[in-house]
Amino acid sequence: MESATPTIGHTQSPKVLKDGNGALIFDSIMMRNASQIPKEFLWPSNDLIITADEELNEPLVDLSVLKSEDHTAIAHAAQLVREACVKHGFFQVTNHGVDQELIDAAYQEVDTIFGLPLERKLAARRQPGAVSGYSGAHADRYSSKLPWKECFSFKYAHIDHSHSQILHYFTSLFGQDLRRSGIVYQKYCDAMKELSFAIMELLAISLGLDRLYFKTFFEDGESIMRCNSYPPCNNSSLTLGTGPHSDPTSLTVLHQDQVGGLEVYLDNKWFAVRPRPDAFVINIGDTFMALSNGKYKSCLHRALVNREVERKSLVYFVNPKEDKTVKPTKKLCSSDEERKYPDFTWSDLYEFTQKHYRADVSTLQGFIPWFIAGKPSNY
């Protein structure tokens, strides 16, 4: 892809805060009031292509049919999922069973986390190579094409006999001040696990597999929960909240607020995804694409920034157990069909994206030669 930089009406980038290692510090209050955008946040013009006039026509899938004995309705839902996943890897689900009060509470805690003083957020920064913790514009990893956002991420083990892993993480990091946040996100992640397992059942049916095949595969996994805040930006046309990429994980379960900004790439166009308060956005990731032997597409998407208001989202990334081998079942590989990808583990792909490659449209294609070469450290 070209690396052309958009032209702007000033010749000097405004000053930004830096930490002791020279990494940019994303001060959301200062940034949202800035009249000019720091050069670190400028994106190439080919990544800033204008959105198509029409919205994405993704299916809305009624998940409640899974609890019924209506096999015709289940088959119809599975067909909708199959058509979407073959085409672009993206759909939305309604009647999902997640309490709206819990969703609202999770958004309230987004405000709590990102409303903390800057020094407290920086004290909770994720460590190099880690997932959990605070990140301001991913500036701890990158120095250009920075996303205009703040994130707070943490792991969630699917099997947890304590039933308080998230609460423990929050109190160990923030003390009792964010105890309520820990309680809310413990409940939210528990709900996301059940929702993602239901979607896995539908995905299995859509691929002609035993209904519990994927649910069983992921039942001992460890997912990642992420809270996103995209502050308003006076130069929103020059930057992105999240650049074009496909998720390296298996399945993404996302709830977005009503501001909008999520877009999916299809037929050489960017299509806006209409926010639906009663629905969760679902997209296929690279790991699931490998599990399906390429039958289902990993969804290419991006997030825009609003000029006037903050955008928020809640994202749950589903992953298998780190050392579990990712390979398609023989039922998805006919005798005359070659395997699209070698056997690998989630920890292999995770290592690649954390240490050697910035996730984009070609993450899995870049991963394969590195993996086959023996995972060289100097890649």
Side-chain angles (χ1 to χ4, degrees):
M1 301 177 92
E2 295 178 4
S3 58
T5 302
T7 57
I8 52 180
H10 64 275
T11 58
Q12 187 175 5
S13 179
K15 292 182 179 180
V16 294
L17 300 175
K18 297 288 184 71
D19 66 14
N21 297 317
L24 179 144
I25 294 175
F26 189 78
D27 184 335
S28 59
I29 296 177
M30 183 178 73
M31 291 295 189
R32 73 175 63 199
N33 294 323
S35 59
Q36 300 174 350
I37 187 169
K39 59 180 176 55
E40 291 88 347
F41 291 92
L42 297 177
W43 281 74
S45 56
N46 54 313
D47 287 333
L48 297 169
I49 296 172
I50 301 299
T51 311
D53 291 334
E54 65 265 45
E55 295 177 333
L56 184 71
N57 185 29
E58 79 282 8
L60 292 176
V61 180
D62 183 353
L63 269 192
S64 66
V65 300
L66 286 175
K67 296 181 179 180
S68 73
E69 297 296 326
D70 190 340
H71 299 295
T72 300
I74 293 174
H76 175 66
Q79 182 62 26
L80 289 176
V81 167
R82 181 177 180 84
E83 290 174 356
C85 291
V86 167
K87 189 174 183 180
H88 46 58
F90 187 95
F91 56 97
Q92 297 201 50
V93 295
T94 58
N95 295 321
H96 40 70
V98 182
D99 194 318
Q100 184 61 50
E101 290 185 359
L102 178 57
I103 298 173
D104 293 341
Y107 276 117
Q108 290 173 8
E109 298 313 311
V110 170
D111 294 336
T112 299
I113 293 169
F114 297 118
L116 289 171
L118 179 60
E119 58 270 18
R120 289 202 69 186
K121 290 188 287 188
L122 294 178
R125 275 189 293 189
R126 65 184 180 191
Q127 298 302 307
V131 167
S132 299
Y134 170 80
S135 173
H138 295 330
D140 55 321
R141 294 186 61 196
Y142 311 117
S143 58
S144 64
K145 295 198 301 183
L146 296 183
W148 192 269
K149 67 176 179 179
E150 295 181 279
C151 302
F152 186 76
S153 309
F154 44 94
K155 291 183 177 181
Y156 172 80
H158 298 172
I159 298 176
D160 172 42
H161 300 296
S162 73
H163 304 292
S164 59
Q165 56 177 312
I166 307 303
L167 173 60
H168 174 73
Y169 176 72
F170 270 80
T171 55
S172 65
L173 193 62
F174 296 107
Q176 295 300 312
D177 291 351
L178 266 67
R179 180 179 177 82
R180 172 177 162 77
S181 299
I183 293 173
V184 168
Y185 286 123
Q186 179 70 52
K187 294 178 180 178
Y188 189 84
C189 287
D190 289 344
M192 290 301 98
K193 180 181 74 172
E194 296 307 314
L195 173 56
S196 65
F197 282 177
I199 294 165
M200 288 296 182
E201 289 189 40
L202 198 54
L203 286 167
I205 296 170
S206 74
L207 284 165
L209 304 176
D210 179 87
R211 179 170 175 161
L212 298 180
Y213 178 80
F214 290 123
K215 181 179 180 180
T216 301
F217 184 84
F218 287 96
E219 65 183 358
D220 59 352
E222 186 175 60
S223 292
I224 300 168
M225 179 68 204
R226 177 170 294 164
C227 306
N228 290 320
S229 168
Y230 303 84
C233 176
N234 288 323
N235 293 276
S236 57
S237 63
L238 301 177
T239 190
L240 290 170
T242 303
H245 72 289
S246 56
D247 295 331
T249 48
S250 296
L251 190 74
T252 302
V253 182
L254 176 144
H255 196 281
Q256 60 172 335
D257 66 11
Q258 296 305 291
V259 174
L262 178 62
E263 299 188 340
V264 170
Y265 195 69
L266 177 67
D267 298 330
N268 296 314
K269 296 179 183 178
W270 284 106
F271 291 89
V273 176
R274 178 186 298 182
R276 300 179 185 274
D278 62 338
F280 279 89
V281 167
I282 311 298
N283 70 259
I284 299 296
D286 291 336
T287 302
F288 196 93
M289 182 165 66
L291 279 173
S292 72
N293 199 34
K295 288 180 169 57
Y296 283 3
K297 290 184 178 180
S298 185
C299 177
L300 177 59
H301 56 287
R302 69 179 183 181
L304 305 185
V305 180
N306 192 282
R307 184 181 179 88
E308 305 293 338
V309 294
E310 175 191 14
R311 176 179 180 262
K312 291 176 282 189
S313 66
L314 303 164
V315 196
Y316 182 81
F317 299 103
V318 184
N319 304 306
K321 190 177 179 182
E322 284 189 349
D323 60 356
K324 184 167 286 187
T325 300
V326 175
K327 65 176 181 180
T329 175
K330 292 181 179 178
K331 293 182 179 180
L332 296 179
C333 302
S334 60
S335 57
D336 59 345
E337 185 179 10
E338 292 184 359
R339 283 279 303 277
K340 300 287 196 307
Y341 314 100
D343 292 356
F344 62 90
T345 65
W346 163 238
S347 62
D348 293 326
L349 183 55
Y350 173 77
E351 177 187 349
F352 180 67
T353 59
Q354 292 298 305
K355 298 181 179 179
H356 306 289
Y357 195 88
R358 183 173 183 172
D360 61 12
V361 63
S362 304
T363 303
L364 202 54
Q365 292 88 333
F367 164 74
I368 294 172
W370 173 80
F371 179 71
I372 293 176
K375 304 191 296 184
S377 60
N378 60 345
Y379 188 80

